[in-house]
């Protein structure tokens, strides 16, 4: 998987339950949700969440054909179509747009 391009998150500080937009490789918003923090945010689908990643609770998918960061996650999920009803996913921090 290619390294994501950084997104300018200046002006936003990470905090618990921080709302975010999930971005694809081109910087397009593909989903929205919030960052899961604390002990619950350290593991997702039996996988350790790395320092440069965040566990995100997806609440709304805008592009169900968008690929998942570092697949497979969950039950061999490779695309956001598996998260239309919501769910937890690991997403690279550089591909998160923190919102208010």
């Amino acid at each position: 998987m290619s390294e994501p391009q950084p997104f300018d998150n200046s002006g936003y500080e990470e905090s618990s339950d921080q709302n975010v937009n999930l971005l694809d490789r081109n910087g397009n918003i593909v989903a929205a949700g919030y960052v899961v923090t604390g002990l619950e945010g350290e593991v997702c689908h039996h996988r350790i969440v790395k320092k440069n990643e965040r566990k995100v609770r997806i609440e709304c998918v805008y592009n169900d054909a968008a690929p998942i960061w570092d697949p497979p996650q969950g039950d061999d999920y490779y695309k956001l179509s598996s998260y239309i009803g919501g769910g937890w996913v690991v997403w690279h921090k550089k591909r998160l747009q923190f919102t208010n």
Side-chain angles (χ1 to χ4, degrees), residues 13 55 85:
E13 223 177 281
K55 180 178 179 180

Side-chain angles (χ1 to χ4, degrees):
M1 177 146 296
S2 64
E3 183 67 20
Q5 296 301 311
F7 182 82
D8 183 13
N9 279 316
S10 59
Y12 293 101
E13 223 177 281
E14 274 190 80
S15 62
S16 61
D17 296 339
Q18 176 70 50
N19 292 328
V20 291
N21 291 321
L22 287 75
L23 308 174
D24 65 10
R25 292 181 183 140
N26 299 319
N28 300 312
I29 297 172
V30 295
Y34 62 89
V35 173
V36 180
T37 58
L39 290 177
E40 190 177 334
E42 294 178 5
V43 177
C44 185
H45 304 298
H46 308 287
R47 177 187 178 289
I48 301 289
V49 178
K50 298 176 186 169
K51 186 177 179 179
N52 61 346
E53 300 171 328
R54 295 295 178 265
K55 180 178 179 180
V56 177
R57 170 69 182 174
I58 294 179
E59 294 185 314
C60 183
V61 173
Y62 301 119
N63 180 354
D64 61 353
I68 302 242
W69 164 259
D70 195 23
Q73 291 189 31
D75 296 326
D76 296 326
Y77 295 158
Y78 291 87
K79 296 198 178 287
L80 285 178
S81 59
S82 302
Y83 292 92
I84 296 292
W88 292 269
V89 66
V90 175
W91 210 260
H92 199 288
K93 185 178 175 186
K94 289 182 182 178
R95 287 194 186 149
L96 291 175
Q97 177 184 43
F98 293 89
T99 61
N100 292 340

